[in-house]
Amino acid sequence: MSLKTRGIVFATFFGSCLIVGLLVAALTTDNWVQSGARRYNSTESQGRVHFGLFSGQKHLNVAYGWRQHDIDVLAVIRDEPDVMSYWLWLGTAIGAGLGALGGAVGAIASVLKSSSASKKTGTLMVLFVSNFLSGISQVVSFACWLVQFVQYLQHNVLVVDDRKNNWYSVGLASLGTSFYFVVAGFVVVVINLILLTVATRMEKRERTQVLDVPTDEKTQGAIMLY
């Protein structure tokens, strides 16, 4: 493998690290969904709600000042299944986690491949597979959350106690930045796969050139002998 080809493969190392960083950020930040909150028959009351896969916060103001409340997402899913679907949440979390794992494997494989002059294709296949599986996992993650948002969260992000207190959030919710981290990670996977495709073609071209060299030398030798 030439230095140029190894350089292209090594470029995927930075992409894989970025994938891991984006997905870890997605898993640990509390902004998969964000929403306003209002009260029926009250123009002064205001609210803001945001949460991620595990925790979040809601800020409610009933015209007497803002009050902050922490949100335990797992407890909400357990106690109030009408707010969120457990299986869609699980698909989102597992998809993001496996996507980060695929990115980590891809990062290791890219270093091994780019640091070796070997023409064996095994490591390159690992790179392709790890990036492809990472991309599929991320698609599962953001697809599950999109369904979660469309079926549940855009209609309500509040627990029953808040709703009994005349709070509502229908039509006020939007997807947060944590969700878009997964989308960005998928875009990086696509870029990695393009780079790996280019590197594979260059490697095949290099092999063809190496195989052609002995034939040319034999031809030249025959001409000189004649």
Side-chain angles (χ1 to χ4, degrees), residues 28-33 48-59 68-74 76:
T28 56
T29 52
D30 299 336
N31 202 27
W32 278 79
V33 66
R48 297 190 302 269
V49 181
H50 67 89
F51 55 82
L53 297 179
F54 303 100
S55 62
Q57 291 181 338
K58 61 183 176 183
H59 305 263
Q68 176 180 312
H69 307 272
D70 293 328
I71 300 174
D72 184 342
V73 175
L74 293 176
V76 171

Side-chain angles (χ1 to χ4, degrees), residues 17-169:
C17 290
L18 182 57
I19 291 167
V20 174
L22 287 168
L23 294 181
V24 169
L27 287 166
T28 56
T29 52
D30 299 336
N31 202 27
W32 278 79
V33 66
Q34 55 191 16
S35 177
R38 297 173 184 169
R39 293 184 78 194
Y40 295 106
N41 303 321
S42 176
T43 57
E44 296 182 355
S45 298
Q46 304 175 61
R48 297 190 302 269
V49 181
H50 67 89
F51 55 82
L53 297 179
F54 303 100
S55 62
Q57 291 181 338
K58 61 183 176 183
H59 305 263
L60 302 177
N61 181 2
V62 291
Y64 299 109
W66 290 94
R67 297 290 185 271
Q68 176 180 312
H69 307 272
D70 293 328
I71 300 174
D72 184 342
V73 175
L74 293 176
V76 171
I77 295 172
R78 182 188 66 241
D79 299 334
E80 302 190 36
D82 59 319
V83 177
M84 291 178 65
S85 163
Y86 169 76
W87 295 109
L88 291 173
W89 171 87
L90 186 64
T92 302
I94 290 178
L98 291 178
L101 178 61
V105 173
I108 296 171
S110 64
V111 171
L112 294 176
K113 182 63 177 176
S114 60
S115 62
S116 173
S118 173
K119 296 181 176 61
K120 294 181 180 179
T121 60
T123 309
L124 199 57
M125 286 303 299
V126 171
L127 270 168
F128 268 108
V129 171
S130 61
N131 277 275
F132 180 77
L133 292 180
S134 177
I136 293 296
S137 298
Q138 291 175 67
V139 169
V140 170
S141 180
F142 67 69
C144 285
W145 194 257
L146 276 177
V147 175
Q148 183 91 271
F149 180 80
V150 171
Q151 290 191 349
Y152 294 91
L153 299 176
Q154 71 172 347
H155 306 296
N156 172 58
V157 297
L158 299 167
V159 296
V160 65
D161 288 341
D162 295 324
R163 299 199 300 273
K164 286 181 177 179
N165 200 24
N166 291 327
W167 288 97
Y168 71 93
S169 64

